[in-house]
């Protein structure tokens, strides 16, 4: 397990190495093409050192990479502030967001698919403003109103990925506890449940409920997120969120294990249609 920046460096380096070998170039030949020493190419490809977005562009040009989506994703991994797709709006909140949260948002903004298990709270992409405010105050007690407002703004701005073109595909499995836990009071929960019903009807959202009747399940160990990217599966990553940090799992074995776990959770959860009815019934006081 690694923290976000280390994972991103390694993934970026591995992808650049794959692109180089695909062209038949040695690391020394690639270095000569861009006017560097071979050791710099090696350090970048192993993730031993960071790389500037401008250097990534040089390498991509040298390797003849024209795929705009792939280029943008790799530039994001290098920390580029530029985007030809979803705008990197979160940079305006640098003074508010911790680095691990910025890493998470940058992956979320570039991913083609997000699969998530939630056991305690509604996924951030589906929260109402009032619910987001209540969760933020509970999770970060002592913050002043201005900072809370900024964090809620960020939470709501993240939801634009579901409305972009193409939109992020979201698969979410919610433990019934998420629906039963009263966050922010009855009125806030009433509106939040209505929001979930609205979201469940979107074609890019697959929302399923894991009822208490399902008993113990593989997700009892805690929530997780799987990000997938249309450009290359080598950049897929699992994110485990903790109180003070996030951990990123990138090994193929980890990705396979969590993918199988999510598939199992979907199998044991209610169907999307039955889940929608279940949420509506809870909202009606069932």
């Amino acid at each position: 397990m690694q923290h976000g920046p280390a994972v991103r460096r390694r993934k970026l380096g591995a992808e650049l190495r794959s692109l180089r070998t695909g062209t038949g170039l040695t690391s020394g030949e690639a270095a000569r093409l861009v006017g560097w020493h071979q050791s710099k190419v090696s350090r970048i490809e192993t993730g031993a050192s960071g790389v500037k977005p401008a250097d990534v562009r040089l390498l991509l040009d040298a390797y003849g990479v024209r795929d705009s989506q792939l280029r943008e994703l790799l530039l994001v991994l290098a920390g580029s502030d530029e985007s030809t797709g979803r705008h990197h709006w979160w940079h305006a909140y640098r003074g508010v967001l911790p680095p691990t949260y910025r890493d998470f948002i940058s992956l979320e903004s570039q991913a083609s698919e997000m699969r998530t298990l939630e056991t305690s709270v509604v996924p951030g992409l589906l929260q109402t403003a009032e619910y987001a405010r209540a969760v933020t105050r509970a999770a970060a007690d002592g913050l002043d109103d201005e900072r809370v407002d900024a964090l809620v703004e960020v939470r709501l701005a993240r939801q634009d990925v579901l409305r972009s073109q193409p939109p992020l595909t979201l698969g979410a499995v919610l433990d019934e506890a998420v629906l039963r836990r009263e966050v922010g009071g009855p009125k806030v929960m009433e509106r939040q449940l209505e929001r979930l019903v609205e979201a469940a009807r979107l074609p890019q959202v697959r929302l399923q409920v894991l009822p208490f009747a399902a008993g113990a399940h593989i997700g009892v160990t805690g929530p997780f997120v799987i990000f997938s990217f249309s450009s290359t599966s080598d950049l897929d990553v699992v994110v485990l969120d903790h109180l003070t940090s996030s951990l990123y799992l990138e090994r193929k074995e980890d990705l396979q294990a969590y993918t199988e776990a999510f598939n199992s959770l979907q199998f044991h959860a209610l169907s999307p249609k039955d889940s929608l009815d279940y949420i509506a019934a809870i909202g009606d006081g069932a």
Side-chain angles (χ1 to χ4, degrees), residues 9-284:
R9 283 199 307 272
R10 285 227 303 266
K11 285 186 172 293
L12 175 59
E15 186 64 19
L16 290 172
R17 181 173 61 250
S18 177
L19 291 170
R20 173 181 60 75
T21 57
T23 66
L25 293 170
T26 66
S27 58
E29 290 169 339
R32 285 193 292 274
L33 277 176
V34 294
W36 299 344
H37 192 278
Q38 181 181 357
S39 61
K40 180 172 180 177
V41 174
S42 297
R43 288 196 306 272
I44 290 172
E45 291 184 352
T46 59
S49 64
V51 55
K52 297 177 181 177
D55 289 342
V56 172
R57 290 191 190 91
L58 281 176
L59 292 174
L60 295 178
D61 290 343
Y63 303 156
V65 178
R66 300 289 176 261
D67 185 328
S68 60
Q69 190 174 19
L70 178 58
R71 287 178 67 97
E72 181 177 351
L73 177 57
L74 296 181
L75 287 169
V76 167
L77 291 177
S80 174
D81 289 348
E82 300 175 13
S83 175
T84 57
R86 296 168 183 159
H87 181 58
H88 295 185
W89 51 268
W90 59 90
H91 291 291
Y93 294 89
R94 279 185 177 274
V96 176
L97 304 178
T100 53
Y101 194 12
R102 295 201 302 268
D103 287 334
F104 184 91
I105 296 174
S106 70
L107 290 171
E108 182 181 74
S109 71
Q110 297 300 319
S112 58
E113 181 183 10
M114 175 179 174
R115 287 164 288 175
T116 181
L117 165 70
E118 288 292 350
T119 58
S120 297
V121 297
V122 170
L125 295 183
L126 303 178
Q127 292 179 7
T128 65
E130 295 80 8
Y131 186 98
R133 187 176 303 280
V135 167
T136 300
R137 287 201 178 280
D141 189 33
L143 292 182
D144 58 48
D145 289 344
E146 184 177 356
R147 193 173 178 87
V148 170
D149 288 344
L151 291 171
V152 172
E153 285 179 17
V154 169
R155 186 68 54 88
L156 299 181
R158 283 174 48 202
Q159 298 175 5
D160 284 344
V161 295
L162 294 176
R163 297 183 288 270
S164 61
Q165 293 300 324
L168 174 75
T169 298
L170 175 64
V173 174
L174 308 186
D175 190 277
E176 185 173 342
V178 172
L179 310 176
R180 298 288 185 183
R181 178 170 288 103
E182 191 173 282
V183 175
K187 289 296 183 182
V188 170
M189 280 306 298
E190 179 182 355
R191 175 61 192 126
Q192 180 60 71
L193 293 176
E194 291 173 354
R195 167 68 179 132
L196 287 176
V197 171
E198 294 167 3
R201 295 194 174 105
L202 296 173
Q204 65 270 34
V205 175
R206 180 184 175 89
L207 186 62
Q208 293 179 256
V209 174
L210 198 61
F212 289 146
H217 54 78
I218 197 167
V220 295
T221 54
F224 60 85
V225 173
I226 306 172
F227 284 122
S228 297
F229 301 86
S230 58
S231 301
T232 170
S233 62
D234 289 341
L235 295 175
D236 291 358
V237 64
V238 175
V239 184
L240 306 178
D241 207 19
H242 296 269
L243 181 63
T244 58
S245 65
S246 295
L247 292 175
Y248 294 67
L249 288 75
E250 59 173 336
R251 297 185 310 163
K252 284 184 169 34
E253 308 93 284
D254 294 326
L255 287 164
Q256 181 177 350
Y258 276 88
T259 296
E260 290 175 355
F262 189 79
N263 291 341
S264 174
L265 290 165
Q266 285 189 311
F267 178 79
H268 289 96
L270 299 176
S271 70
K273 181 182 182 306
D274 289 344
S275 294
L276 193 154
D277 294 339
Y278 203 79
I279 295 171
I282 293 176
D284 291 337

